[in-house]
Amino acid sequence: MRFGARLALAVTALAALATACGVPQDSGSPSHPAVDCGPYARYGKHPGAEVTVYAENRDREADLFEETWADFAYCTGIDVQYEGDGEFETQIQLRVDGGSAPDVAFFPQPGLLERFARAGKLKPASAGVVALAKQGWSADWNSYATVDGTLYGTPLVANVKSFVWYSPKFFRDRGLSVPRTWSELMAVTEKVAASGVKPWCAGVESAEATGWPVTDWIEDVLLRQQGTDVYDRWVAHKIPFNDPRVIKAMDTVGSILKNDRYANGGFGPARSMASISFQEAGTPVLSGDCAMHRQASFYADMWPKGTEIGPDKDVYAFLLPGADPADRPVLGGGVFTAVFADRPEVRAFQEYLASADFANARMKKGPFVSANRGVDPANAATPVDRLSIRLLQDPGTQFRFDGSDLMPASVGAGTFWKGAVDWIGGASTRQVADSVERSWPSH
Amino acid sequence: MSFDAFAQQPKLLYLLQGVAAFAAVVSLILLALHRGPVRSRAAALLLLAPALLLLTVGLLLPGLRTLALSFTENGGDSWAGFDNYVWMVTDPRALVALRNTLAWVVLVPSLATSVGLLYAAAVVRSRFRAFALLLVLTPMAISFVGAGVVWKFVYAYRPAEAGQIGLLNQLVVAFGGEPRQWLVDSPWNVLFLVVVMVWTQAGFAAVLLAGAIRAVPGELTEAARLDGASPRQIFWRITMPSIRPTLLVVVLAQAIGTFKAFDIVKTMTGGQFGTGVIAHEMYDQAFRYGETGRGAALAVLLFVLVTPFVAHQVRAQRRAA
C-alpha cells in the first residue's frame, strides 16, 4: 500500500511537471510587430512545416543566424529548428549513417560535402538554387560544391584568409608603411627584428585541428610564388605534395615562422607556437610585442573586448602581398549549405539562404562576409569585412579555396596538420613533405 | 527550449510500445514456463532467449559488420583485402598509436596499482582511513574529459618572459628552470598523459586493496610479529600473498580500461604531437577522415588485444565464485 501510494504520488508529480513544461510558448505572433512579408512571398506558405538545420556554429554566431531568418520563418510558417554542434565534422557522418540526417547542413569543408554527395546522400540543388548560384557567385565559388557536374550547395559564409593584422600605431611610431610587395614585407620584417622586437606573432594550437594556421601560410605563399595553376594541380594531387615548388614555398614560410629572430613575438622561441592557441596568438600586436599576425578575416572576433578595428584604430589588416603590387591572390575558406531532404519547405529555405537578401540581412547583424555578388559592402560590420567583400567582388582578385579543406580529409585534416606541427617543432621540410606525400590515399 | 509533452508524443508512444512489448515477451515466457513441460534445459534457453537476441542485435552483428568493414575501403564500397591491416603496421601514424597504446597498457596498470597499494598500505591502519581513502577516490568522481581539462591547465605553457598560468611550469620557473611544452615534446608527452589516467585510477586501486589488506587475518600478522618478522617482511611475505587475487583483479581491470583510453587524449592533445592511441586513431580514421575500413581494422585489433584480458577476468571471477 505504501509503495502504491508513493508510486501514485510520483506519477502525479511527473504528470504535473510535464503539463507545466508543456504549456504552449507564446507562438510568436504578438512579438513580431510589423514584419514586411512582401520579400518572402516568393518562398510560399508552408504552415506547420519544419526544417532542421545542423551546423557547427554555436552561441553568438548561432543566435545571429536564427535572428536573421526569423522573419523568413514567420512569413513562410516554416519552423526552422537549428542545432549547432562543435563536433559537426564527425557527428554529421554518424547522423547520416544512423538514418537521422538533418534537412539542411552547413558544411565547413567542400571535401566533406563531396563525400556525402558521392555517397548519394545529398539532394542535388533545385533549379531555383542553381539559378541563384549562377547569379550570386563566380564559377570558381560554385565549383566547390559541384560534384561530377552537379551542383549540390551554395556558399553560405566566406572567409578571406590572406590578411596580415597589424597595429597602425606601431607602424606609424616606427615609420613603417604597409608593404605592397613580398620584398617590402621582408624589409619591414627585418627592420622590426633589428629594433629588438620579434616581427611576427603566430599560434597554431587549435585542439585536434592544431596546425591549420601553418598550412594556411604555406598555401598562401605557394599561391603567390607559383600562381593559381600550380596551386590547383597541387591541391588535386596532379603534382606530388613534395614537388620542389612546394618545398620552396615551405622554406619561404620557414624562413619566417621557424626563425627565432622573427617569431614568435610575445611568446618566446618559434617552436612555442605549438602551445599557443591561434585565438590568443595575435594579442601581442596590441602591446607592441610583435608587429604582424597573419590570420583570416574572422580573427576580427578574437581580439580582446573593446579592441577597435580600422585604418587608424587599434588594429587593422592588409592583404599578404605578392611579388608585385598588381598581384592580388586571395586564399579563402567558406561554409556551404546542402540539403538531405527534398521537401518543398526545405527547398524554400535553401533558396532563401542562397539569396543575396539573406547575406545582406546577416551582415547587418554583425561580422559576416559573403562572396555573393549581390551583397552591399556598406552593410559590413567592420572595415576588414568591407575590405574582404571588396576583394571577393573584385574581378582582378585571383581567389583560391583553402587547399587543406579540399584535399582528402586524412591528408587535409590529418597528416598535413600533424606534419605542419612537426615541422614547426624542428623536423626538416623534406622529411615532412615526403611523409605527407606518402600518406596520400591511393583510392 | 522547454520540454513540450505534446511535441514529444511520438517518442513517448515508442517508449510505451517498447514497455508493452517487453511486458508481452516476459509474460509469454512466464506463461510458457508455467504451462509447458518443465524441462530445465528448454526453460533455461527460453529465459536466455531475450538476452541472446539483444546480444546478437547489439553486439554480435555490429561486431561482424565491423570485421567485414575492415576488409573494405571507401566506406564499404570496394574490397581491400588485407590492405587496412597492412596499413596499420606500416603507416608511421598508426605505428605511433600502437607504440603509445603499448606504453599506456604497461604503465597505467602498474603505476596506478602500485600507487594505490602504497597508499592503501600507508593509511589502512590509520585513524583517518575513511577520510584518506575518500581523498584519493575523489579524482574518480571526475570524468576523464574533466580530468583532461584540469590537467591541460596544469601543463599549460607560457614562455619564460610571460607570466605562467600552468602549475607545473610555475614550479619549474620558481626553481629557476626554463618552462617546457609538456604536451608538445615527444615522446615525454605520452608520460604526462599517462599521469592523468593514473591520477584518476589510483583511488580505485587504493580502495579495493585497502579492503583486501584489512581482510588479512590479524592472527597471521600477529604470529609473524611474534616470530620476529620486520614490518617489511610482514608486508612482502604475509600481506602480498594474501591480497594477490585482488591485486590481479585490479591490474586486469585497469588494463582493460587503459586499452580504451580515448577521452584524455582527445581533450588534452587531440592525438597531436605523437600522442595518439589506438582508440583515438580509430575514431579519427573512421569519423573524421571517412576511412571507415582503417577505423574498423583498428577496432578489430583493439578487440583482439582486449579479449585475453577479459577472458582471464571472467575465468578468475568464476574461480572466485
PDB file of all heavy atoms in Angstrom, chain B residues 105-120:
ATOM      1  N   VAL B 105      49.393   0.678 -21.713  1.00  0.00           N
ATOM      2  CA  VAL B 105      48.918  -0.554 -21.083  1.00  0.00           C
ATOM      3  C   VAL B 105      49.957  -1.101 -20.118  1.00  0.00           C
ATOM      4  O   VAL B 105      49.624  -1.767 -19.147  1.00  0.00           O
ATOM      5  CB  VAL B 105      48.545  -1.583 -22.173  1.00  0.00           C
ATOM      6  CG1 VAL B 105      48.339  -2.944 -21.570  1.00  0.00           C
ATOM      7  CG2 VAL B 105      47.291  -1.127 -22.886  1.00  0.00           C
ATOM      8  N   VAL B 106      51.242  -0.820 -20.378  1.00  0.00           N
ATOM      9  CA  VAL B 106      52.263  -1.260 -19.431  1.00  0.00           C
ATOM     10  C   VAL B 106      52.285  -0.320 -18.226  1.00  0.00           C
ATOM     11  O   VAL B 106      52.339  -0.765 -17.079  1.00  0.00           O
ATOM     12  CB  VAL B 106      53.654  -1.300 -20.122  1.00  0.00           C
ATOM     13  CG1 VAL B 106      54.743  -1.519 -19.097  1.00  0.00           C
ATOM     14  CG2 VAL B 106      53.673  -2.388 -21.180  1.00  0.00           C
ATOM     15  N   LEU B 107      52.214   0.974 -18.498  1.00  0.00           N
ATOM     16  CA  LEU B 107      52.448   1.953 -17.424  1.00  0.00           C
ATOM     17  C   LEU B 107      51.238   2.179 -16.520  1.00  0.00           C
ATOM     18  O   LEU B 107      51.383   2.207 -15.299  1.00  0.00           O
ATOM     19  CB  LEU B 107      52.885   3.289 -18.036  1.00  0.00           C
ATOM     20  CG  LEU B 107      54.276   3.287 -18.662  1.00  0.00           C
ATOM     21  CD1 LEU B 107      54.553   4.594 -19.373  1.00  0.00           C
ATOM     22  CD2 LEU B 107      55.328   3.037 -17.581  1.00  0.00           C
ATOM     23  N   VAL B 108      50.058   2.359 -17.125  1.00  0.00           N
ATOM     24  CA  VAL B 108      48.915   2.755 -16.292  1.00  0.00           C
ATOM     25  C   VAL B 108      48.571   1.702 -15.235  1.00  0.00           C
ATOM     26  O   VAL B 108      48.528   2.024 -14.043  1.00  0.00           O
ATOM     27  CB  VAL B 108      47.685   3.108 -17.155  1.00  0.00           C
ATOM     28  CG1 VAL B 108      46.458   3.344 -16.282  1.00  0.00           C
ATOM     29  CG2 VAL B 108      47.975   4.336 -17.994  1.00  0.00           C
ATOM     30  N   PRO B 109      48.369   0.415 -15.601  1.00  0.00           N
ATOM     31  CA  PRO B 109      48.003  -0.549 -14.555  1.00  0.00           C
ATOM     32  C   PRO B 109      49.092  -0.676 -13.502  1.00  0.00           C
ATOM     33  O   PRO B 109      48.803  -0.715 -12.310  1.00  0.00           O
ATOM     34  CB  PRO B 109      47.837  -1.860 -15.323  1.00  0.00           C
ATOM     35  CG  PRO B 109      47.611  -1.457 -16.724  1.00  0.00           C
ATOM     36  CD  PRO B 109      48.388  -0.208 -16.929  1.00  0.00           C
ATOM     37  N   SER B 110      50.370  -0.713 -13.937  1.00  0.00           N
ATOM     38  CA  SER B 110      51.417  -0.921 -12.938  1.00  0.00           C
ATOM     39  C   SER B 110      51.544   0.299 -12.026  1.00  0.00           C
ATOM     40  O   SER B 110      51.621   0.162 -10.804  1.00  0.00           O
ATOM     41  CB  SER B 110      52.751  -1.261 -13.605  1.00  0.00           C
ATOM     42  OG  SER B 110      53.046  -0.320 -14.594  1.00  0.00           O
ATOM     43  N   LEU B 111      51.527   1.508 -12.612  1.00  0.00           N
ATOM     44  CA  LEU B 111      51.666   2.709 -11.781  1.00  0.00           C
ATOM     45  C   LEU B 111      50.442   2.904 -10.886  1.00  0.00           C
ATOM     46  O   LEU B 111      50.573   3.149  -9.690  1.00  0.00           O
ATOM     47  CB  LEU B 111      51.871   3.950 -12.661  1.00  0.00           C
ATOM     48  CG  LEU B 111      53.257   4.094 -13.281  1.00  0.00           C
ATOM     49  CD1 LEU B 111      53.313   5.307 -14.201  1.00  0.00           C
ATOM     50  CD2 LEU B 111      54.303   4.228 -12.176  1.00  0.00           C
ATOM     51  N   ALA B 112      49.249   2.793 -11.487  1.00  0.00           N
ATOM     52  CA  ALA B 112      48.031   3.038 -10.710  1.00  0.00           C
ATOM     53  C   ALA B 112      47.935   2.042  -9.567  1.00  0.00           C
ATOM     54  O   ALA B 112      47.602   2.402  -8.439  1.00  0.00           O
ATOM     55  CB  ALA B 112      46.807   2.940 -11.608  1.00  0.00           C
ATOM     56  N   THR B 113      48.291   0.776  -9.851  1.00  0.00           N
ATOM     57  CA  THR B 113      48.178  -0.233  -8.812  1.00  0.00           C
ATOM     58  C   THR B 113      49.239  -0.035  -7.740  1.00  0.00           C
ATOM     59  O   THR B 113      48.948  -0.140  -6.541  1.00  0.00           O
ATOM     60  CB  THR B 113      48.288  -1.642  -9.422  1.00  0.00           C
ATOM     61  OG1 THR B 113      47.393  -1.720 -10.527  1.00  0.00           O
ATOM     62  CG2 THR B 113      47.915  -2.704  -8.414  1.00  0.00           C
ATOM     63  N   SER B 114      50.484   0.286  -8.146  1.00  0.00           N
ATOM     64  CA  SER B 114      51.497   0.453  -7.098  1.00  0.00           C
ATOM     65  C   SER B 114      51.221   1.694  -6.263  1.00  0.00           C
ATOM     66  O   SER B 114      51.369   1.663  -5.038  1.00  0.00           O
ATOM     67  CB  SER B 114      52.926   0.481  -7.654  1.00  0.00           C
ATOM     68  OG  SER B 114      52.954   0.569  -9.026  1.00  0.00           O
ATOM     69  N   VAL B 115      50.817   2.784  -6.895  1.00  0.00           N
ATOM     70  CA  VAL B 115      50.482   3.974  -6.122  1.00  0.00           C
ATOM     71  C   VAL B 115      49.328   3.656  -5.178  1.00  0.00           C
ATOM     72  O   VAL B 115      49.361   3.973  -3.981  1.00  0.00           O
ATOM     73  CB  VAL B 115      50.111   5.152  -7.046  1.00  0.00           C
ATOM     74  CG1 VAL B 115      49.530   6.308  -6.247  1.00  0.00           C
ATOM     75  CG2 VAL B 115      51.319   5.604  -7.842  1.00  0.00           C
ATOM     76  N   GLY B 116      48.313   2.966  -5.708  1.00  0.00           N
ATOM     77  CA  GLY B 116      47.155   2.611  -4.892  1.00  0.00           C
ATOM     78  C   GLY B 116      47.541   1.704  -3.736  1.00  0.00           C
ATOM     79  O   GLY B 116      47.096   1.885  -2.605  1.00  0.00           O
ATOM     80  N   LEU B 117      48.448   0.745  -4.009  1.00  0.00           N
ATOM     81  CA  LEU B 117      48.861  -0.206  -2.986  1.00  0.00           C
ATOM     82  C   LEU B 117      49.642   0.507  -1.879  1.00  0.00           C
ATOM     83  O   LEU B 117      49.382   0.308  -0.688  1.00  0.00           O
ATOM     84  CB  LEU B 117      49.718  -1.300  -3.627  1.00  0.00           C
ATOM     85  CG  LEU B 117      50.245  -2.387  -2.690  1.00  0.00           C
ATOM     86  CD1 LEU B 117      49.086  -3.147  -2.072  1.00  0.00           C
ATOM     87  CD2 LEU B 117      51.141  -3.354  -3.442  1.00  0.00           C
ATOM     88  N   LEU B 118      50.583   1.362  -2.282  1.00  0.00           N
ATOM     89  CA  LEU B 118      51.380   2.091  -1.293  1.00  0.00           C
ATOM     90  C   LEU B 118      50.471   2.942  -0.415  1.00  0.00           C
ATOM     91  O   LEU B 118      50.596   2.963   0.807  1.00  0.00           O
ATOM     92  CB  LEU B 118      52.405   2.987  -2.003  1.00  0.00           C
ATOM     93  CG  LEU B 118      53.628   2.265  -2.546  1.00  0.00           C
ATOM     94  CD1 LEU B 118      54.551   3.240  -3.254  1.00  0.00           C
ATOM     95  CD2 LEU B 118      54.362   1.557  -1.403  1.00  0.00           C
ATOM     96  N   TYR B 119      49.543   3.617  -1.083  1.00  0.00           N
ATOM     97  CA  TYR B 119      48.635   4.496  -0.351  1.00  0.00           C
ATOM     98  C   TYR B 119      47.795   3.678   0.623  1.00  0.00           C
ATOM     99  O   TYR B 119      47.665   4.030   1.793  1.00  0.00           O
ATOM    100  CB  TYR B 119      47.758   5.237  -1.348  1.00  0.00           C
ATOM    101  CG  TYR B 119      46.995   6.395  -0.735  1.00  0.00           C
ATOM    102  CD1 TYR B 119      47.593   7.641  -0.602  1.00  0.00           C
ATOM    103  CD2 TYR B 119      45.687   6.242  -0.304  1.00  0.00           C
ATOM    104  CE1 TYR B 119      46.913   8.702  -0.045  1.00  0.00           C
ATOM    105  CE2 TYR B 119      44.987   7.295   0.259  1.00  0.00           C
ATOM    106  CZ  TYR B 119      45.607   8.523   0.382  1.00  0.00           C
ATOM    107  OH  TYR B 119      44.934   9.568   0.937  1.00  0.00           O
ATOM    108  N   ALA B 120      47.257   2.558   0.112  1.00  0.00           N
ATOM    109  CA  ALA B 120      46.390   1.714   0.949  1.00  0.00           C
ATOM    110  C   ALA B 120      47.168   1.192   2.145  1.00  0.00           C
ATOM    111  O   ALA B 120      46.695   1.236   3.283  1.00  0.00           O
ATOM    112  CB  ALA B 120      45.842   0.557   0.117  1.00  0.00           C
TER     113      ALA B 120
END
